[in-house]
Every structure is written in C-alpha cells, then in structure tokens.
Amino acid sequence: SEPVSCTGGRADMSLDGLRRTFREHVFYTQGRFPSVATRNDLYMAFAYTVRDQLLHRWIKTVEQMAGKDLKIVSYLSAEFLLGPHLENNLINLGIYDDVLGIAKEEGFDIQVIFDQEEEPGLGNGGLGRLAACYLDSLASLEVPAIGYGIRYEFGIFDQEIRDGWQVERTDQWLRLGNPWELARPEITCRVSFGGRTEPYQDDRGRYRVRWIPHRTVKGVAYDTPILGYRVNTCNLLRLWKAEAIESFEFEAFNVGDYYGAVDEKIYSENITKVLYPNDEPVQGKQLRLEQQYFFVSCSLQDMLRIYKLGGGKLDRFSRHFAIQLNDTHPALGVAELMRLLVDEEGMDWEPAWDVTCKTFGYTNHTLLPEALEKWPVELFAGLFPRHMEIIYEINRRFLDEVRRRWPGDEARVARMSLIDESGGRFVRMAHLACVGSHAINGVAELHSRLLKEDVLRDFHEMTPEKFSNKTNGVTPRRFLVLANPGLTRLIEGKIGDTWIRRPEELRKLEPCADDPAFREEWRRVKLENKKNLARVIRERTGIEVDPASMFDIQVKRLHEYKRQHLNVLHIIALYDRIKRNPSYDLCPRTFIFGGKAAPGYFMAKLIIKLINSVGDTVNRDPDVNGRLKVVFFPDLNVKNAKFIYPAADLSEQISTAGKEASGTGNMKFSMNGALTIGTLDGANVEIREEVGAENFFLFGLTAEEVYSLKRDGYRPMEYFQANPELQRVVERIASGYFSNGDRELFKPLVDALMFHDTFMLFADFGSYADVQGRVDEAYRDREHWTRMSILNSARMGKFSSDRAIREYCEDIWKVKPVPILLE
Ligand code: Z2T
C-alpha cells in the first residue's frame, strides 16, 4: 500500500509550522480568539500542536511495522504513573527551545502553561512509575511495544495536610479534557463475569466447556502516544475504560426496564472509576479483582485481534508477542490466555499451554509476605467460574510434575500449590504467574537473590533456569534533563549530550571532580535548585527554609518498612542535643519529607502527623536558632518530584534491610548529585558499588542480620535500655512534648516500637545516628562534599532504564529494535 502522506501542514516542525499549528488549535480546536483564550486554552493548543507531531511519528511507526515479521513487547500493568506529557514530549522531539521562543513571541509565560497540565496519576508509587520509565526507554530504544492498563477516571488521590494530618481529595485529572489521548470507540472488547460453566461436544465430537456468564461489560480503548527520545518510534499506551454494552443489545436482557438498564450502566462503569490507593499490601476487594481481569482480558483479546490481522497462526503467537506481567496484578492473564486459546479458539490444552508459558514473563516487586496477592477461592470462583476450572487443571498438571520430581514430599506440594489451603482456601497469584511464565525476575540483585532463597525458593529449586535479575532503572530524560536543566547544561558544557542516550558516558565527568572551578559551578547549580525548592515550599506550606542549609530529603510512600519514623527519631535526637546544650555545634539542616499514606493505613498517617508535629515544635523553638527545620511537602507526585530530586544534598534510603525490593527514588536522587545515607537494601547495594563505598553513607543491619535477629528473638527493649539518647527521644514523644501534652496521640506508635518494633528501628538507631554525625562532618568540607556529589552523578549510568530495558529485551523478550524513518 501507499505510504501515508502527511508531510507539510501540521506535521511541519519548523518554527513557522509550529507557530501556525498552535494558532490554528487556539482557533479551531479550542474555539477562541487569542485575546480571550484562557490558560487552559493555551495549554490545550500547545498540547495539540505537540500531539500532531507525535501522531505523525506514530502513523509512520505503525505503517513501517505493518507486515514485518517482528515481535512486540506487551507490558501489562495495573498502574502507569506517567507524569505530565508536554515538557517531556518537547524534550524528546528536540523542540523545547523553539517552543519557549514561540511562547515568548506570543506573549505568555510558558511555565504557567506547563503548570496547567494535570498529571495522569494512574499509579501508587515505584511500580507504576517504573512502568512509565520503561515505556520511555522502549520507545527510545526503538523497540515495538504496547503498554496495556486501566484508564482510571480518578487516579491516586490528591493529598492535603490539615492540622498535620493527611486528608485525601479526589483526583479529577480528566476534568478539563485530556489532549494526549485518542478515544477509540471502535476498538472494543467484551469482558464477562460470574455465571457458570457447561460441558458440550463440539462439531468434531471433542469435549469442550462453555462459560455462561452472569454479566458482560464493554472495554473501550483510549490510546496515548509514547514518543522515544530523539527517534521516530512512537509506541502506544492503550488504557481500557469500562462501559455498559450498547443499550439496544442488552434490552434483550432487560425487557423494557429502563431504570434497570441505567443501573447496569452505572454498575459497569464502576470497574474503571478509581485506582486502589494501596501500594503494598493490596487489599482483597472484589472490585479490584474485577479491574484486574477486565484490563487483562481486554488486552489479550486485543493482542489476538492484532495478531490475526497479520494472518498469524495461533501456535506461533509467542514469536510475535512477549507479554510482561508487572507484578501479579495481571497474573490472571495466564488463565485468560488459556481460556481464549482453548475455549474460544479451539486449541488443545498442551499446545495452548506451550504458547502461554513461552509468552509470559513475570516481574516480582516485593518480599513482604503480606503483599503477595491471594484471593479467596469463593470470591474467585464466583467471578470467574471457568478460570477457576482452568487454574485447577494447571495446578493438577503442575503438582503431578512436583510429585514426579519429589515423590512423597507432600509438604512441598502443599507449599507450591496454586491454592493455599493452610487455613481458608486462596488462589496464590504469584504461583500462577511463576508456573505460567518462562521467565521470573526480581528488581535488584539482593531482591532477586532473596526471592530465590526465600519467597520463591521451591520454584527456583524446580526451574532455576527461569530466574534472573533485572535491576530497576529510571529515565534520565525526565529525571535529569527535564528536572534539572541547570545541571544538564553544566554537564553538556563538559562532555556534550550523548550521555542522555548512553549514561555510562557520564563517567567522563569524573576528572571534573578534581577541578575547583567545575566544583564551584556544580555548587552554584545545586544552590539554584535549592532556592527553587525553597520557593515552592514557602508557597505550599508557608515555611521558610534556608537554601544554605543541608537539604536532607526522604520522599516515598509512607510505610513502616521504609522507616520515615527512624528519620524522625534522629531529628528529635538532634533537637534534644540542642535543648541540652544550646551551643551544640550542628551543621544547619533542613529535613524534608513527602509521600502519601494509604487512606486506611493508620500507622502511616500517624507518622505524617508526627512529622508535622515535630516540625511545628522545632521550627518555632528559638533555641534551635536556624540549625534545624522540618518540612512535610504535601502531595508528592511526579509533577512535584521535579522540584525535589535536584535540590537534595542528602537522600534518605533507610528501609529495614531485606524489605525494599529495589527503590527507584534512590537512583533519582543520586543522579542529581545527592549523597545517600542508606542501608544495604534493594538497589542501594548496587548504587554503593557503582559510586564507591567512600561516596556513600552506609549504616544498619544487613538482611542476613535482620533475619537471624528475628529468628533468635528480637527484643527492642534491650536496645532501648542500652541507649540513653534513644530513651530521651522516645520519652519526648510519649510525654506529649510534640502534642500539647497529649500523651495518647502518639501512643500507638510508641507502643509499636517498644513492644514489637517489627522493622527494627531500635536496632539500627545507634548506627544511624552515628553515621548522621559523619554526614554532618562531611558537609562542612564543602569541596570534598562536592567531589563526592559529582562522582555520584558521574557513576549512575547503570541505573538508566535504557540499560534495564536492554536486558529485558535480550534475556527475556528476545526482541530487537526496529528503526523508523520519517520520510
Ligand atoms: C510498588 O510500588 C512496589 C512493590 C509492590 O509490590 C507494589 C507497589 Cl505498588 C507488590 C515497589 C517496591 O516497593 C519498590 O522497592 C520498587 O522499586 C518498585 O516497586 C519498582 O520495582
């Protein structure tokens, strides 16, 4: 067929072309005169101008891929935490400065336009953001890929802080329209729930099963183009929205019942209304399970449709699609692909199973046992009677194999079964994902090792060849180029800009660490970034912070294992030292926290209240005299994170060893020249290896020490009794010093530490406080600190998501780049 011609017109990327297209969009898309155009009109017109460029490349991508014998990566994720599109797309297109120029000529502030964009907060934290980084890298590496997920009408809630407490507000990101997506009302799927199954004989006399569902909804595709960095590859993020099936069709079911039909519509649309705001662990709610199945079924049907379009034969499906399961949220896909192949396409079980296993890969993201998804069999079978049967059949065959390998070892059979029967009956989603995948990976070296030794030990013993590590990465485009233009310019002045694709080249900066003039420049950029953050903090909290003080930052979801409260204990210790010795010599520090707590996680919310209460006291106490400030930055999201990472001097990565699978904030900080104080947990281990032990502040127990301490009986009280400073710190909280004399407020927190201390804060407190002392000393030697800071940035190349995606492509997906030409 003829190549699509869409050169000239809106595809014109010259300055004049962009300006003309922009004006056209103000007029014809927004329907406004320039003189009455609102901020949102201008934003929308800019966004559409940029989108035209993306669509041009997208069409070229689709066109040049069609008919080729290629393999597509399909990334299945319940979350994509994309962040704002506009600036990122300008960078990837290479027209950032052009557009700044146009805005200036047309007479408005581009920053105001950027601020207008609502970010799609379709994720909780690390896992969702990782998916977004991976989409950026897949496109940047010119790998054909589709991201599949859910188009939540309400993403992660907006966080407000009132009287020190977190208050959740609905995220209405679609209120003013979303210029980045294309609704595809003609791309739909049907997804069913409930009902029963029924055996029958097909026309060839074969035994088959049909599913007679109770209700059916429609999935509608919404497509967002994902452009790579300075390439023409424009991939697809396809998110599904649930709707009721066409009214005339279900009239047959609801004869003349108009109100019943409207109820049905509301009920159906419920499925994609809202993102569940829990990170780990997830809650076992029916609607959540419906969401998972809904998007997985739509996505698999869509892939089969695309595949058949190309005339492919089903038994070769895995040569053309590699499906990655982002944790177990889409693990139902294993059973659903089997159902589609066997029940709908008439394949036999064995070849269908072969296709399924060869197609799926599974990434695990957590070691917390309580975060491993399991669903009550009753709930599961009620919603998915046919999938339940398929899972039993998968399990029967699988456990036969286990018994063949380990005859008589029924304990092992019980441990490995897809059904947990150790008290109630549950479907174990991680086991389903392991059995149905040819590849299983963790997200950092330590995490992958602990998976093999502990959480998935039996599976590793049975099929060691399936296991590998893929250490997480983050995209240097968003988290360095976009977030930190000052540092980017400084680096470019020294080593050019090829490191943006190949961040290993940042190593060329190492010699600059010895150059005093460069160090001076490096500090100047950092100071500017700190001033910028100080301004935003003033606007959002009213708190004045001193950009000359050390910015010590911990931003991440609130969770006890992440130990924000260990950080607080240390702050109180410093405060206590000042109170006991008013002339205590402390290098001035600003402690900045940020992150959301799951709305139902009482202890996490109490920690937020504690941070704010300590802040209120410390920030107001004249004795402190500028040496300490404590700030809680409200509503941490991708948009706000941009102010934070570039402004950090010190990055807090202080989880209990063995609990944080990888962490990715740790990478974002270090890339931007922050030094890390951290435990040997997740990717911290590898970051320390890369930047050098002498440029990293290590403290705390190792994962092995944590386990053996737990095994031998951990008694927090012993650490408490042995450490007078810790006693004074805890006493200040317990006595109501930070709560206007209220001894009840923080009692749950104090008691949890004194009597359980599940995450071993007391065991690590001494070592943490000591190393914080070394941080204080190190910061006084500003030249040396700057040296370490430069070396951190220079040595972070490994943690680019491009490296991670290359590894997935080579080891798991077996896919190759397909360069796209524009003309
Ligand atoms: C999540 O963000 C993570 C793990 C989960 O386990 C769930 C969610 Cl929503 C089910 C995080 C990990 O905690 C973090 O260590 C890791 O860096 C991130 O996933 C990406 O792998």
Side-chain angles (χ1 to χ4, degrees), residues 463-563:
T463 50
E465 69 285 357
K466 284 191 185 182
F467 283 74
S468 76
N469 171 248
K470 297 285 168 283
T471 298
N472 284 167
V474 302
T475 170
R477 271 75 65 182
R478 184 177 290 275
F479 291 103
L480 203 47
V481 179
L482 189 158
N484 203 341
L487 202 68
T488 302
R489 267 194 301 274
L490 179 60
I491 297 172
E492 277 175 358
K494 283 288 171 191
I495 63 169
D497 64 1
T498 49
W499 55 271
I500 299 172
R501 296 163 160 297
R502 292 182 294 273
E504 320 77 61
E505 292 182 8
L506 282 169
R507 290 247 175 202
K508 293 187 203 156
L509 274 182
E510 283 188 26
C512 303
D514 297 321
D515 172 359
F518 186 81
R519 289 201 298 263
E520 182 71 45
E521 285 291 291
W522 192 267
R523 274 195 298 276
R524 185 188 51 74
V525 170
K526 182 64 85 181
L527 184 62
E528 281 309 308
N529 293 339
K530 289 164 78 174
K531 285 182 183 164
N532 199 28
L533 177 58
R535 175 182 55 78
V536 179
I537 288 175
R538 187 185 322 114
E539 288 166 8
R540 313 259 170 111
T541 70
I543 301 173
E544 283 292 339
V545 302
D546 179 5
S549 65
M550 183 202 309
F551 279 17
D552 176 335
I553 311 189
Q554 185 171 22
V555 289
K556 47 182 79 241
R557 286 296 291 248
L558 265 290
H559 203 297
E560 286 162 283
Y561 85 76
K562 297 178 187 283
R563 301 199 296 192

Side-chain angles (χ1 to χ4, degrees), residues 125-127 130 279-280 327 365-366 443 472 561 660-664:
L127 170 143
L130 186 77
D279 42 352
E280 347 171 14
D327 213 87
H365 292 267
T366 185
V443 290
N472 284 167
Y561 85 76
E660 188 71 271
S662 163
T664 43

Side-chain angles (χ1 to χ4, degrees), residues 585-638:
D585 184 19
L586 185 70
C587 188
R589 263 206 228 199
T590 302
F591 292 91
I592 299 164
F593 293 84
K596 293 172 186 177
Y601 189 172
F602 169 73
M603 209 57 109
K605 290 180 137 177
L606 194 56
I607 294 173
I608 293 182
K609 174 66 176 168
L610 178 65
I611 294 167
N612 283 305
S613 302
V614 170
D616 279 347
T617 306
V618 169
N619 297 350
R620 257 193 297 219
D621 189 332
D623 292 350
V624 169
N625 197 18
R627 279 170 289 182
L628 285 178
K629 272 276 162 72
V630 181
V631 176
F632 190 92
F633 190 111
D635 201 31
L636 178 72
N637 54 22
V638 179

Side-chain angles (χ1 to χ4, degrees), residues 31 51 81 85 112 338 361 519 583 615 621 652 716 732 739:
R51 192 183 81 173
L81 226 185
H85 293 280
V112 176
M338 285 301 287
R519 289 201 298 263
S583 60
D621 189 332
E652 298 270 353
R732 276 201 193 264
S739 44

